[in-house]
Every structure is written in structure tokens, then in C-alpha cells.
């Protein structure tokens, strides 16, 4: 399940073999949730609103709805359209938001830079032409309230995915274990199903810290076995009980069903929609596979198996009207194979639950990367397989809530109502965002986007309305959970942006830093001082406060900004932007470390050593440039970055060996290991510098024939600077972080005071600190207290 697989298929036999292997692997990761829906769809649909009658109009109408819903939503919408709206091979809500933010200036992320647009992963599907900018794009960019509305829409979809991660394990395992009711008396069944379900759920969550890679190799065979099992059962029931059931696939039976059942039929749609639970996983897990693999698996295996399963259950029920009170999956299973099917169903439900739990961890990690979720501990369970993570706090909270839902609801009906609303809300958000992608990113006519929105949006709104009407019967849970999570995420994001604006307006000038010296009682101590800040230019206020209280700072001073950019991945060769702060003699630098929303952040040891390596490369590069050995593309060696006079351009430092005298070759294309001329930063949260950045990469090679060892030709100034850097590294590194307390300024509204003074500060005190997130050793940590008045 490597990310690179998604880009490696072609027409060769080897490529098709890889694609088929990926399609097989996707069964265990992507389709676990979708494949177990036959366990509870008919049971939830016939729970209360409609009843199975001798005419079979109800069961055939439900089958027709199931068939067309599976055909229109997962097959047409996701497989043929939405899967194409990927972000460098990544899918999901944040991938769509990232695409939109890159094609239109609607992002609310702070510390954006024009240089970010030069990233190789910051590609535009169709570069927009200024003359042909759509009216929708201009409207979105003009009104900041629409930026906020778009972010809230994305957060809502994210919260519903988290809600699905809570409800899916409960309803899946409960429905699978409910098969025991046919082999036990009602009295024993009541006291067995709930404890067994809770035990399985506790075991499932308790094993999360081992990572899915330890048992992942059995996921695909389990789901494959389950799909073949329900296909065989479906064929058996069709042939044995009612071979004419295929006629019910006609849309005529949907109309007939609604005419007879009226309001009850409409309300029963809340159960029917459960047949597409897990469809969003096809898009969300796109990064682990390829479009072709997911399309093949669904079109040729999952979709036919599900249709046969639902047809088989309908064929059985059409001849068994006396089983009204027992409508469900297991009544259509022959007694001879009931126990083996029960075991396979429980295993398949665990696999389906595992997939949605892993997806919940992933989307929370993405939210945290984009500053929309409080800091939590993220454990990467596998260094080789991308994206397998474990979040302890979220895992135990999900486990407690999942067990509570199982004990509290105790039936498939209430769980189904809650799960159905969460599923449809996520799909509606995806439909809205994909409509924007069609216009803004694909540059298609608005009529196509409107058609997409109306067709699939109307279907999903129909099902959503049937779920909302059952607010008191379980649907209240995802709504309440979403409101709580959206509030938490929006408050955290709002306060984060306000803190950045405060830092931006209170930063200290470079002249102040250069004036610090022995005459003011300021001394330089051995070592490297890493001052962490959100600013991409200027001197942060927390450093001035640090120097005021402790009149000393380190011999090598580095202002470090760890920031997220709206792309899934930043290539390692393009991660570090390095520049000087002041003259070379001051030994002060700025380093901006860029991560995508799915990137793995480095641990502190590798980060420290790599940072020193990048600084050394930059020092060599800067010396070569000063000597005229290499040339910049625009001849401006030290372009000022706005307000911070004296700061040189930031330079992309890749993985290069610059220890020798370079024979250089300029290229227009992106190289995986490179040094490039940088760009000025964006000085405002809302204003982006309008410019066409010119960038060239410089590739170095050692000319062994004409040049001697470059160390002999390095100037004493360069040698001295490198020696100072390595000496400081040996002396040790100190991490200077701000310890902030945020207060709403006087005159703020009551809502803002509640959100900032109580909400944000409560979250800040009870989440992981920045030092824990960066894994800073306590002995190397220096915290500077800061009060932000926002």
C-alpha cells in the first residue's frame, strides 16, 4: 500500500499485475464497511415505518431503491467522477479543500508564502487564465465570509466522518453478533449479545496501538471470503425461492412502493441509505491505492456481490411472510451454514470497523496539521507503510463512546438512524465541494457542476431528510457530536489565526536584533538556539521578551517556522527554506520547514541533525553565490522581504553535497535534489503578493578533471562560519518556545470572550503542548511566557 503505487500503472503486463494486486488489497482497507451493510439494511428498513405484506410490494420496492442507490451513488458518483478529483493521488474532504484553496484564494491558513506555489506538488489541474476567471471564483475570493463558510462546511464533513468512526463499529459488530438470536432463546439472547458486542469492541480498540500492518495481511482474504459468501447465499436464495426477483430492479417498483407506503415509505429511506455506508472510504483511502485498482475492485467484485446479496434476501422474504418479526440477514441463511457465516460476518465487521477507525485517526491528523484541531499525540505504527497512525487519546474516547452507544441504544434501529445521518452529511459535503472543484479546478462550464449538484445532491437530500426526521430516535447523536466538534475545531482555528495576527503586528525589527551586543549587556553563549515561531519573516515578540528577561542568546541563532501548506506531501528536497537574518557575521538564520497535511513530522533528533546539515549547505551555497560561481535567475542576491529590511531571500535547500567547488548547470525543470532561488513572504493573513515567481534550479556536479579539492579554495570566512556552526552543534541545542495565554481584548463580544478566555484556554491547557508535539527533551527546553490580547 505504498503511495507510489498510484502512479505506476500503464499498459504493460507488469503494471496490470500490480493494479490487480492493489485491487485485491483494497478489499480489506476500502470496502470492509460497505461490504457488511447487508447485515442490517433490511432489518433497519423494516424496523417500524413499513411492514412486509403478502403482496411483496414493500420488499420489492426496497430492493429497487437499494439497487438504484448503489448504482447512482457509489458507482456513478464516486467511481466515475469523484475519484478523479484527487489531490496528488490523495482523496477525502481535506483533499478537495486543498484543491480549491490552490485554485482560488479562499484559504484561512496563516503564514502563506508565494514560494509555496513553486512546490512540485502544488500543481494546478488547469492553470487559470486571468481573463477567463469565473464569476464564482471572483465571488469566493471577494467575500471573506464565504471563506469562513467554506471552512465550516469542511469541518462539518470532518466531524461527521469522526461520528461515523464512532457509530460504524457499534452497528457493524452488533448486527453481526445478533445472528445468535436464531440459536438462543429470547431471554438468553438479551443477556448475551450486548456483552459479547462490547467485549469485541474493547478488544478491537485495545489492539489499535499495534497498528493494522500486523494483521492487515488477513483483512483482504476475510472481506473476499465474505463477499463470495454473500454472493453464493444470494444466488442460492434467488434460484431456490424466487428466480423472478430480478424484475424488482425496475424503477417502477420504487414508484409503486412510495404510492402504497407514503410517509412510512419516505421515513424508511433512513434504513435504505445504510446500503451505501462506507462509499466515502473509496475516495478517502485513495492515497493508498490507485484509481484503477479501486474502480476494478468495486465494479467487478464488490458491486455484483452486494446486488446478489440484497436480491437473495428479497427473494427469500418474498416467500416467507411469517418471519415479519425476524426480518434480517440471518433468516435467509440456511441452517447448515449459519454458524460458519456468523463467524465470517463477525470477522468482516471487525475489518470494516478497523478501516473506519484508521480513517478517523487519519482525518484528525490532517485537521491537526492544518491548525483545525487541538494538538494530540500521533504515533506512526509502521515506518514503511505510509499513513498508518494511532492516536491514543482519540482511540480511548472512541472506545468509551462506542461501548456507551451499544449499551444505550441496544438495537439496530437507533444505531442505523444515527449512522445514516452521519453518512449522508459527509456525502452532501463531498458533493458540494466536488461541484466547486468542477468549476474552479477543472474549468468546466458551470452548467455541468450544477447538473452534478442537482442530480446527486437531490438524492442525498432525500435520504438526509428521512434521517433528520428521526432526530429523537437516534439521529440526535451525530448532530450533537458534530456541533460539539465543529465548535471545538473552529474555536481552535480562530484563536490560532488571531495569535498569528498578534505576532505579525508585534514583531520586532531586524535593527533591534542587530543592535544587541555587549554595550547593552547582551552576551552570546555557545550552542545553537532554535527559536520557534509562526512568523515567516521578522523577529518574533517572544524572542525580544526572552532577551529582555535573560540578557543572552546563543552563538548560532535560528528562527524556525514549522508550517503546513495546502498540499498532501512536500518532497524532502523542497521542505527547507533557509535564509540569513542580518549579515553573515551575526550568525543568525531563518529556516522554514514545510509539511503537507499527510506528511510525517520528523522526530527532534533527526530534525536537529538535518537542520544543521541544511544550514551548512546554505552557507556554502550563499558563499558560491557571493563569489559569482553560481548566478541567481534575476541577479538580485538579497531581495528584501517586505517589512523585514536586511533579510535575504529564502532559498530552497535540497539534499545536495556542496562540499566541493561546483560545476553548475541551470535547469528549468524540478529536480528531486536541488537548490533554488527563493521568494518573498506574504506579510498579511489576507493579502497575497500578486507576482509571477521566477524559479530556476541549480544542479551541482564535481568536476574531477579541472578542479582540485574545494576545501583548499574556500575562503577563511566560509571556513570560519562552518566551524562556528559545527562547534555550536557540539555545544548543544536549546529550543525556545512560547508558552502562551490568550485573552480577548476589552470591548469584545460575549461570544468571543467565551470562546477565547474559556474555550481556547481550556483546550490549550488540556491538549499536548508544542514541546511534546515536537518531542523536545525537557533539558533543552526554554519556555517564554506570552500573553496574547486578541
Amino acid at each position: 500500500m505504498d503511495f507510489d503505487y498510484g502512479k505506476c500503472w500503464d499498459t504493460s503486463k507488469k503494471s496490470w499485475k500490480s493494479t490487480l494486486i492493489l485491487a485485491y488489497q483494497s478489499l480489506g482497507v476500502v470496502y470492509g464497511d460497505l461490504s457488511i451493510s447487508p447485515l442490517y439494511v433490511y432489518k433497519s428498513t423494516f424496523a417500524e415505518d413499513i411492514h412486509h405484506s403478502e403482496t411483496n410490494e414493500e420488499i420489492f420496492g426496497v430492493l429497487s431503491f437499494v439497487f438504484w442507490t448503489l448504482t447512482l451513488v457509489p458507482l456513478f458518483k464516486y467511481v466515475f467522477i469523484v475519484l478523479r478529483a484527487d489531490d496528488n493521488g490523495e482523496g477525502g474532504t481535506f483533499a478537495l479543500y486543498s484543491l480549491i484553496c490552490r485554485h482560488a484564494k479562499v484559504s484561512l491558513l496563516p503564514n502563506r508564502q508565494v514560494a509555496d506555489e513553486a512546490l512540485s506538488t502544488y500543481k494546478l489541474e488547469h492553470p487559470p487564465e486571468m481573463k477567463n476567471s469565473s464569476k464564482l471564483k471572483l465571488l469566493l475570493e471577494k467575500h471573506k465570509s464565504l471563506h469562513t463558510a467554506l471552512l465550516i462546511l469542511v469541518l462539518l464533513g470532518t466531524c461527521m466522518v469522526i461520528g461515523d468512526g464512532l457509530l460504524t463499529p457499534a452497528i457493524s459488530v452488533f448486527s453481526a453478533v445478533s445472528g445468535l438470536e436464531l440459536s438462543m432463546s429470547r431471554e438468553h439472547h438479551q443477556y448475551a449479545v450486548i456483552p459479547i458486542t462490547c467485549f469485541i469492541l474493547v478488544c478491537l480498540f485495545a489492539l489499535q496501538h499495534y497498528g493494522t500492518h500486523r494483521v492487515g495481511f488477513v483483512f483482504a482474504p476475510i472481506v473476499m471470503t465474505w463477499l463470495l459468501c454473500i454472493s453464493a447465499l444470494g444466488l442460492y436464495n434467488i434460484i431456490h425461492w424466487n428466480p423472478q426477483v430480478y424484475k424488482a430492479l425496475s424503477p417502477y417498483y420504487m414508484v409503486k412502493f412510495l404510492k402504497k407506503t407514503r410517509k412510512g415509505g419516505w421515513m424508511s429511506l433512513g434504513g435504505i441509505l445504510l446500503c451505501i455506508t462506507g462509499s466515502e472510504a473509496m475516495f478517502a483511502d485513495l492515497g493508498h491505492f490507485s484509481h484503477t485498482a479501486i474502480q476494478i475492485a468495486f465494479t467487478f467484485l464488490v458491486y455484483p456481490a452486494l446486488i446478489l446479496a440484497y436480491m437473495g434476501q428479497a427473494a427469500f422474504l418474498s416467500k416467507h411472510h411469517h418471519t415479519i418479526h425476524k426480518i434480517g440477514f440471518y433468516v435467509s441463511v440456511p441452517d447448515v451454514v449459519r454458524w460458519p457465516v456468523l463467524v465470517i460476518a463477525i470477522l468482516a465487521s471487525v475489518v470494516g470497523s478497523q478501516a473506519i477507525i484508521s480513517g478517523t485517526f487519519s482525518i484528525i491528523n490532517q485537521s491537526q496539521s492544518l491548525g483545525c484541531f487541538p494538538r494530540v499525540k500521533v504515533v506512526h505504527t509502521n515506518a514503511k507503510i505510509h499513513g498508518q497512525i494511532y492516536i491514543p487519546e482519540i482511540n480511548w474516547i472512541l472506545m468509551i463512546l462506542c461501548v456507551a452507544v451499544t449499551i444505550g441504544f441496544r438495537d439496530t434501529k437507533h444505531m442505523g438512524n444515527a449512522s445514516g445521518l452521519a453518512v449522508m452529511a459527509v456525502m452532501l459535503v463531498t458533493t458540494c465541494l466536488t461541484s466547486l472543484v468542477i468549476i474552479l479546478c477543472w474549468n468546466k462550464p458551470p452548467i455541468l457542476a450544477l447538473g452534478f449538484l442537482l442530480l446527486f445532491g437531490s438524492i442525498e437530500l432525500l435520504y438526509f431528510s428521512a434521517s433528520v426526521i428521526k432526530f429523537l430516535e437516534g439521529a440526535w447523536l451525530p448532530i450533537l457530536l458534530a456541533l460539539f466538534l465543529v465548535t471545538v475545531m473552529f474555536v481552535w482555528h480562530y484563536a490560532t489565526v488571531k495569535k498569528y495576527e498578534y505576532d505579525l503586528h508585534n514583531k520586532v525589527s531586524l535593527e533591534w536584533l542587530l543592535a544587541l551586543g555587549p554595550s547593552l549587556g547582551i552576551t552570546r553563549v555557545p550552542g545553537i538556539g532554535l527559536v520557534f515561531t509562526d512568523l515567516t519573516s521578522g523577529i518574533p515578540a517572544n524572542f525580544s521578551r526572552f532577551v529582555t528577561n535573560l540578557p543572552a542568546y546563543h552563538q548560532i541563532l535560528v528562527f524556525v517556522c514549522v508550517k503546513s501548506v495546502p498540499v498532501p506531501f512536500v518532497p524532502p528536497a523542497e521542505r527547507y527554506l533557509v535564509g540569513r537574518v542580518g549579515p553573515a557575521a551575526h550568525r543568525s538564520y531563518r529556516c522554514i520547514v514545510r509539511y503537507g497535511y499527510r506528511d510525517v513530522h520528523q522526530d527532534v533528533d533527526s530534525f536537529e541533525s538535518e537542520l544543521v546539515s541544511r544550514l551548512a549547505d546554505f552557507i556554502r551555497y550563499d558563499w558560491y553565490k557571493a563569489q559569482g560561481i553560481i548566478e541567481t535567475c534575476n541577479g538580485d542576491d538579497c531581495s528584501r522581504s517586505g517589512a523585514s529590511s536586511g533579510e535575504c531571500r529564502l532559498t530552497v535547500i535540497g539534499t545536495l553535497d556542496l562540499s566541493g567547488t561546483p560545476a553548475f548547470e541551470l535547469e528549468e525543470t524540478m529536480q528531486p535534489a536541488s537548490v533554488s532561488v527563493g521568494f518573498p513572504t506574504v506579510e498579511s493573513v489576507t493579502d497575497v503578493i500578486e507576482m509571477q515567481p521566477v524559479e530556476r534550479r541549480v544542479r551541482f556536479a564535481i568536476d574531477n578533471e579541472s578542479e582540485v579539492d574545494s576545501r583548499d579554495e574556500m575562503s577563511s570566512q566560509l571556513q570560519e562560519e562552518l566551524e562556528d556552526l559545527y562547534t555550536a552543534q557540539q555545544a548543544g541545542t536549546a529550543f525556545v518556545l512560547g508558552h502562551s495565554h490568550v485573552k480577548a481584548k476589552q470591548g469584545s463580544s460575549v461570544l468571543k470572550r467565551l470562546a477565547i478566555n474559556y474555550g481556547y484556554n481550556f483546550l490549550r491547557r488540556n491538549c499536548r503542548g508544542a514541546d511534546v508535539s515536537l518531542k523536545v527533551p525537557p533539558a533543552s527546553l526554554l519556555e517564554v511566557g506570552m500573553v496574547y490580547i486578541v
Side-chain angles (χ1 to χ4, degrees), residues 501-514:
E501 291 179 346
Y502 180 90
D503 280 336
L504 194 64
H505 292 115
N506 290 274
K507 63 184 179 181
V508 183
S509 67
L510 181 62
E511 287 73 14
W512 175 87
L513 175 65
L514 299 179

Side-chain angles (χ1 to χ4, degrees), residues 515-524 547 550-553:
L516 296 177
S519 60
L520 297 178
I522 306 295
T523 58
R524 303 288 290 264
V547 174
L550 183 66
Y553 61 96

Side-chain angles (χ1 to χ4, degrees), residues 442-460:
W442 297 350
N443 290 336
K444 299 297 181 183
I447 190 68
L448 289 180
L450 184 62
F452 176 86
L453 182 63
L454 290 178
L455 174 61
F456 297 108
S458 58
I459 295 171
E460 290 158 2

